[in-house]
Amino acid sequence: MNIDPKYIQELAEKVLRCKRVIETESWDALAFVFDIADGHMANSGFLYVADKIVPASAGIEEDLMALDNKILEFREAIFEACGHKFVQLLIQMNSAGKIHIDFEFDNPKRWNMGPANYRAMREQLRPVFN
């Protein structure tokens, strides 16, 4: 799949502008899962600060639709490249600027979190950059 790397850069820039990311001092890493359905998008995730894990959602306070719109634009580019639209998008970053993006095309519950799997998911989503 040949995707313009500008999308990754623009997504990273928008995530770094999110209120919770800006307000959380000294975060080491973050992970956000975006659930995309027709006409609806939601997200949830975590900020990893030393040995603490802080639940978070991603939103840019001064431009509430900026991140969602960029994700939809990225989704369309992926669709044009491979013929499939992702239903979930995972964005993981560390404070050094490394980013990892993963897609889910078939299972809209792959990274869903609830009371039964909350503790396991916060560790499963923790970014590991080698």
Side-chain angles (χ1 to χ4, degrees):
M1 181 173 9
N2 190 13
I3 300 296
D4 189 336
K6 76 171 185 167
Y7 289 107
I8 308 303
Q9 179 67 32
E10 291 171 351
L11 283 171
E13 289 170 0
K14 296 219 181 308
V15 167
L16 293 174
R17 289 179 50 208
C18 290
K19 180 180 181 183
R20 190 68 169 190
V21 175
I22 292 168
E23 290 178 347
T24 305
E25 295 181 24
S26 303
W27 59 271
D28 300 309
L30 60 79
F32 289 109
V33 174
F34 295 85
D35 295 295
I36 302 104
D38 292 332
H40 175 75
M41 187 180 315
N43 75 75
S44 58
F46 303 99
L47 293 165
Y48 301 90
V49 184
D51 61 346
K52 297 179 188 169
I53 302 173
V54 180
S57 61
I60 300 170
E61 190 172 42
E62 66 276 4
D63 190 354
L64 295 177
M65 295 306 297
L67 183 55
D68 289 1
N69 289 340
K70 184 52 63 181
I71 288 171
L72 293 174
E73 183 183 329
F74 184 46
R75 185 180 191 219
E76 191 59 33
I78 298 292
F79 176 70
E80 289 174 13
C82 73
H84 301 286
K85 290 186 177 182
F86 56 82
V87 294
Q88 285 189 316
L89 173 69
L90 171 62
I91 299 176
Q92 298 170 303
M93 293 178 66
N94 69 12
S95 58
K98 290 187 179 183
I99 184 168
H100 174 80
I101 293 182
D102 199 358
F103 313 95
E104 178 56 48
F105 292 95
D106 301 313
N107 179 3
K109 297 182 179 182
R110 177 177 176 187
W111 294 303
N112 281 11
M113 292 171 256
N117 71 344
Y118 180 79
R119 288 182 187 269
M121 285 303 292
R122 66 185 191 180
E123 288 305 325
Q124 181 182 335
L125 295 176
R126 182 189 295 267
V128 177
F129 295 98
N130 296 325

